[in-house]
Amino acid sequence: MAQAMRPKMSPKQLTVVGNELITPNMIRLTLGGEGSQHFSQESAGQYVKFLFTADGSTDISTLPEGQKPMMRTFTVSGYQPDASTITIDVAKHELAELDGVITPDIGGYASRWAVKAQVGDVISLVGPRPIQAMPVDAEHFLLVADMTAQTALQGKLALLPDNAKGHVVLDVPTKADLQPLALSESVELVVNISSESSLSNCVKALELNTENLAVWCACEFSEMRTIRSYITSDKAVDRKMCYFSSYWKHGVTEDGHKVLKREDSMALEEQVAKAK
Ligand SMILES: Cc1cc2nc3c(=O)[nH]c(=O)nc-3n(C[C@H](O)[C@H](O)[C@H](O)COP(=O)(O)OP(=O)(O)OC[C@H]3O[C@@H](n4cnc5c(N)ncnc54)[C@H](O)[C@@H]3O)c2cc1C
């Protein structure tokens, strides 16, 4: 049967109008210009893909015929209607300040560009596109994120009912990397410092009420898998009430991570089918 085709996403060009370090490890890029007319308030929390050539240039017009750009995924953290700009918060990881030649094997396209981006620089991107929704008619909630998903987490928190009960677990390199979160009174924030313990161990240490529990988790690949297995197997939470997504993987660029994600999702589907 013919599959419904996704509409092709055409690149938009945005111009850097601001670049500031908002916490020790988070860069906030403000982007405006012609391409920003495709964004609105609804874009906050949606994702875009920055485009680069294989040698790290943002001038994708130099791409050889038929060669696809390198893509890096980020969440829109805000939209400023008066200025018609968007903001994107980029976690500064260990490759960010690496000098020298950039190659598809080493990667670091987005973080290395973000560290150096200056007002007037132009970036091409595709999107915005929405991320999957989480069930909000649950009684209890568990939301888990690391630095890369802090923006997405803020978007999900805004959708929770006022009387939401549960936990938010956020992994950050330092306490100073924590951004303000809108939490209702009965939601407890647990901060995990990356160098002190793993995010999954932090989740396992929680006293979870699994009755009518909805789970949203976005973080590093291996951590996500450990948390997914703990929640759906050990804690037997209904998979339909859960959303798990890996945003990056240790030692692997986004291109390699994409392949592993696909394999993981196929293996999971098989596992679920066998269990039926
Ligand atoms: C839907 C979605 C939304 C996302 N939103 C955001 C966002 O808003 N902000 C954000 O910062 N990230 C976000 N990410 C994660 C981001 O796409 C990845 O971190 C991406 O790999 C960064 O690209 P890069 O070119 O800097 O590094 P890559 O070339 O992809 O990787 C190079 C090396 O850096 C390592 N690396 C990559 N990211 C990290 C990291 N965060 N910490 C430590 N090491 C890392 C890799 O393991 C690899 O060894 C999102 C991902 C998804 C799927």
Side-chain angles (χ1 to χ4, degrees):
M1 198 200 288
Q3 277 203 330
M5 294 280 284
R6 266 183 162 194
K8 231 180 161 190
M9 298 200 269
S10 46
K12 290 130 195 151
Q13 288 202 327
L14 279 89
T15 306
V16 177
V17 295
N19 182 347
E20 59 170 327
L21 203 57
I22 53 164
T23 72
N25 296 287
M26 191 67 99
I27 300 161
R28 174 160 294 164
L29 295 172
T30 306
L31 306 174
E34 211 190 310
S36 64
Q37 62 178 298
H38 299 275
F39 291 81
S40 64
Q41 293 288 9
E42 273 184 15
S43 313
Q46 300 191 341
Y47 73 88
V48 296
K49 287 178 187 278
F50 286 154
L51 309 179
F52 302 91
T53 64
D55 61 1
S57 164
T58 53
D59 183 3
I60 57 164
S61 70
T62 62
L63 275 171
E65 181 77 26
Q67 192 175 312
K68 287 192 176 151
M70 313 298 296
M71 298 197 191
R72 293 296 184 264
T73 313
F74 289 88
T75 312
V76 177
S77 60
Y79 173 75
Q80 300 75 44
D82 294 345
S84 187
T85 52
I86 57 164
T87 49
I88 294 197
D89 296 353
V90 179
K92 211 173 135 193
H93 60 78
E94 53 204 21
L95 282 196
E97 270 155 359
L98 188 77
D99 278 328
V101 181
I102 193 161
T103 64
D105 286 350
I106 304 171
Y109 289 93
S111 50
R112 287 165 75 174
W113 173 73
V115 161
K116 294 197 176 125
Q118 291 186 358
V119 172
D121 287 354
V122 173
I123 182 85
S124 297
L125 55 78
V126 289
R129 281 191 163 272
I131 60 169
Q132 211 174 305
M134 73 174 281
V136 287
D137 53 352
E139 198 177 332
H140 299 102
F141 294 89
L142 168 65
L143 293 96
V144 182
D146 67 11
M147 279 284 277
T148 63
Q150 203 172 162
T151 301
L153 170 71
Q154 286 168 328
K156 293 298 164 202
L157 285 174
L159 302 175
L160 295 190
D162 292 343
N163 59 354
K165 289 183 275 206
H167 296 90
V168 168
V169 186
L170 183 57
D171 183 86
V172 281
T174 69
K175 277 219 163 125
D177 285 304
L178 201 62
Q179 291 179 43
L181 296 171
L183 298 175
S184 68
E185 256 175 37
S186 311
V187 174
E188 184 192 347
L189 173 65
V190 181
V191 178
N192 187 63
I193 303 296
S194 325
S195 56
E196 292 174 6
S197 66
S198 70
L199 182 56
S200 51
N201 278 342
C202 185
V203 170
K204 287 178 186 176
L206 296 175
E207 271 191 34
L208 278 183
N209 186 336
T210 56
E211 207 175 304
N212 195 6
L213 174 71
V215 179
W216 181 90
C217 168
C219 58
E220 195 272 337
F221 182 80
S222 306
E223 286 300 306
M224 178 283 289
R225 286 188 8 148
T226 308
I227 295 166
R228 185 177 67 195
S229 164
Y230 173 71
I231 295 291
T232 58
S233 300
D234 301 21
K235 290 289 176 187
V237 176
D238 184 350
R239 280 177 195 273
K240 287 199 277 303
M241 295 295 281
C242 300
Y243 169 84
F244 294 98
S245 180
S246 65
Y247 272 24
W248 64 284
K249 179 165 173 26
H250 267 298
V252 178
T253 66
E254 180 161 334
D255 310 284
H257 174 221
K258 212 167 145 186
V259 176
L260 294 171
K261 259 176 111 157
R262 207 175 303 130
E263 288 171 1
D264 174 68
S265 144
M266 277 157 61
L268 190 68
E269 274 174 31
E270 264 176 42
Q271 200 185 317
V272 172
K274 268 190 202 154
K276 275 187 185 166

